[in-house]
Amino acid sequence: MASGIEIERKFLLAELPPTMRLARREPIRQGYLALDGDTEVRVRITPKRAVLTIKSGRGGVRTEEEVVLDKRQGDALWELTEGRRLQKSRRQMRIDGHDVDVDEYAGALDGLVVAEVEFVDEESARAFEAPSLFVRELTGDPAYANRNLALFGLPADKPA
Amino acid sequence: MASGIEIERKFLLAELPPTMRLARREPIRQGYLALDGDTEVRVRITPKRAVLTIKSGRGGVRTEEEVVLDKRQGDALWELTEGRRLQKSRRQMRIDGHDVDVDEYAGALDGLVVAEVEFVDEESARAFEAPSLFVRELTGDPAYANRNLALFGLPADKPA
């Protein structure tokens, strides 16, 4: 039940790094229950658990609270997210001592690969040098926010 | 952790029934985290516990899911509700075999007294005859929805 302040930077990848293809991946489906200004409330369901997440704030620094749901509640709340859902597979790696989630999207977002790098403070976030396979920074880009990917699909400006 | 479908009718009271003045009352504060169409996400804090509630749907029949929060999470989410809060004291009674919550509002909503009658099915909801102290039905009236009371205060048409 990770909670509190989250500092991360987000990058577009041209493809899933070949060295990660065989890494363990966790299928994730998530849907948005409520979107209200800077606040979003989402349900995320993985094979292990269902979690309700409330995020508030913009850009690199956001407040995030997670509440674990039982299966019945996860399913009931999922029903309320129709038309605002996405699916992806998450793999995890380390770069320069930072935890990195690499998300390969599926369904309507097939072909999109995004990495989120987590930092312990803003100084290390600023100091991070992205490897060459990270083709563009997406931090704070609303078109690539998951809520907008779920609502509107792939951004038109995505490089092939 | 009551959850599922909720069938209720809501009424305006001219005042707190004198016979209830000494009944046990539970102080409630609630604030809205996200309001999005028919879906609302609120935090309710009582002396006993903090609960996150997701409601969806309109009028007399609504889907409602409740998730119990620990104290730290309740407080953290409460911080996100500024400008969208209300306070009331709840007393409970029975009328014709139905559970009734009588809410006496405080703060900016001082003087407002509302009763919510819960039913096991729509037939018994239709059959209910309100006692004379219930001066007006509010079921489905958006001005008296708690989310709007929290945002906009007392409706202008409230009888004195």
Side-chain angles (χ1 to χ4, degrees):
Chain A
M1 211 184 287
S3 291
I5 301 297
E6 180 177 72
I7 303 171
E8 60 187 32
R9 289 173 66 186
K10 188 166 161 177
F11 298 89
L12 181 68
L13 275 64
E15 60 173 350
L16 188 71
T19 54
M20 291 193 77
R21 283 197 192 129
L22 296 179
R24 193 173 57 182
R25 66 193 184 87
E26 180 179 44
I28 292 171
R29 56 192 170 105
Q30 65 190 47
Y32 292 84
L33 275 172
L35 300 170
D36 182 359
D38 288 347
T39 300
E40 60 185 53
V41 182
R42 89 170 179 221
V43 187
R44 175 179 282 182
I45 298 179
T46 69
K48 283 183 202 155
R49 62 179 195 163
V51 177
L52 185 73
T53 304
I54 298 98
K55 294 191 179 196
S56 191
R58 276 181 195 282
V61 182
R62 297 159 58 100
T63 298
E64 179 170 333
E65 294 290 335
E66 293 188 345
V67 186
V68 175
L69 303 172
D70 62 37
K71 186 177 182 319
R72 189 200 62 73
Q73 286 195 309
D75 291 343
L77 293 176
W78 181 256
E79 289 304 306
L80 302 177
T81 65
E82 197 173 346
R84 298 168 153 198
R85 297 172 179 167
L86 59 79
Q87 294 176 62
K88 56 190 180 181
S89 290
R90 172 161 288 182
R91 296 170 175 84
Q92 296 185 302
M93 62 188 293
R94 298 270 293 175
I95 298 177
D96 294 345
H98 305 295
D99 286 326
V100 182
D101 291 333
V102 178
D103 288 343
E104 184 182 32
Y105 289 76
L109 299 166
D110 190 43
L112 179 62
V113 183
V114 166
E116 287 183 342
V117 189
E118 288 172 32
F119 301 98
V120 292
D121 54 38
E122 294 191 65
E123 189 180 341
S124 60
R126 275 192 298 272
F128 178 72
E129 290 185 29
S132 60
L133 55 84
F134 288 30
V135 296
R136 193 208 302 179
E137 179 146 17
L138 302 176
T139 310
D141 183 339
Y144 287 89
N146 277 295
R147 59 191 275 175
N148 289 325
L149 292 171
L151 265 71
F152 307 121
L154 273 182
D157 69 345
K158 181 188 170 295
Chain B
M1 210 186 285
S3 289
I5 302 295
E6 181 177 70
I7 304 172
E8 61 187 30
R9 290 174 66 186
K10 188 167 162 176
F11 298 88
L12 181 68
L13 275 63
E15 61 173 350
L16 188 70
T19 55
M20 292 192 77
R21 282 198 192 127
L22 296 178
R24 193 173 59 184
R25 64 193 186 88
E26 180 178 45
I28 293 172
R29 54 192 171 104
Q30 65 190 46
Y32 291 85
L33 274 171
L35 301 170
D36 182 359
D38 288 347
T39 300
E40 59 184 53
V41 183
R42 88 171 180 221
V43 188
R44 174 179 281 181
I45 299 180
T46 69
K48 283 185 201 154
R49 60 179 197 165
V51 176
L52 186 73
T53 304
I54 299 97
K55 292 190 179 196
S56 191
R58 275 181 196 281
V61 182
R62 297 159 57 102
T63 298
E64 177 170 335
E65 293 291 334
E66 294 188 344
V67 186
V68 176
L69 303 172
D70 63 37
K71 186 177 181 319
R72 188 200 62 73
Q73 286 193 310
D75 291 344
L77 293 176
W78 181 257
E79 289 304 306
L80 302 177
T81 65
E82 198 174 347
R84 299 168 153 198
R85 296 172 179 167
L86 59 79
Q87 293 175 63
K88 57 189 179 181
S89 290
R90 173 160 289 182
R91 295 170 175 85
Q92 296 184 302
M93 62 189 293
R94 299 270 292 176
I95 299 178
D96 292 345
H98 306 295
D99 286 326
V100 182
D101 291 333
V102 178
D103 288 343
E104 183 182 32
Y105 289 77
L109 298 166
D110 190 41
L112 179 62
V113 183
V114 168
E116 288 183 342
V117 189
E118 290 173 31
F119 301 98
V120 292
D121 55 37
E122 294 190 66
E123 189 181 342
S124 60
R126 275 191 298 272
F128 179 72
E129 290 184 31
S132 61
L133 56 82
F134 288 31
V135 296
R136 194 207 301 179
E137 177 144 16
L138 303 176
T139 309
D141 183 338
Y144 287 89
N146 277 296
R147 58 191 276 177
N148 290 325
L149 293 172
L151 266 71
F152 307 122
L154 274 182
D157 70 345
K158 181 189 170 295

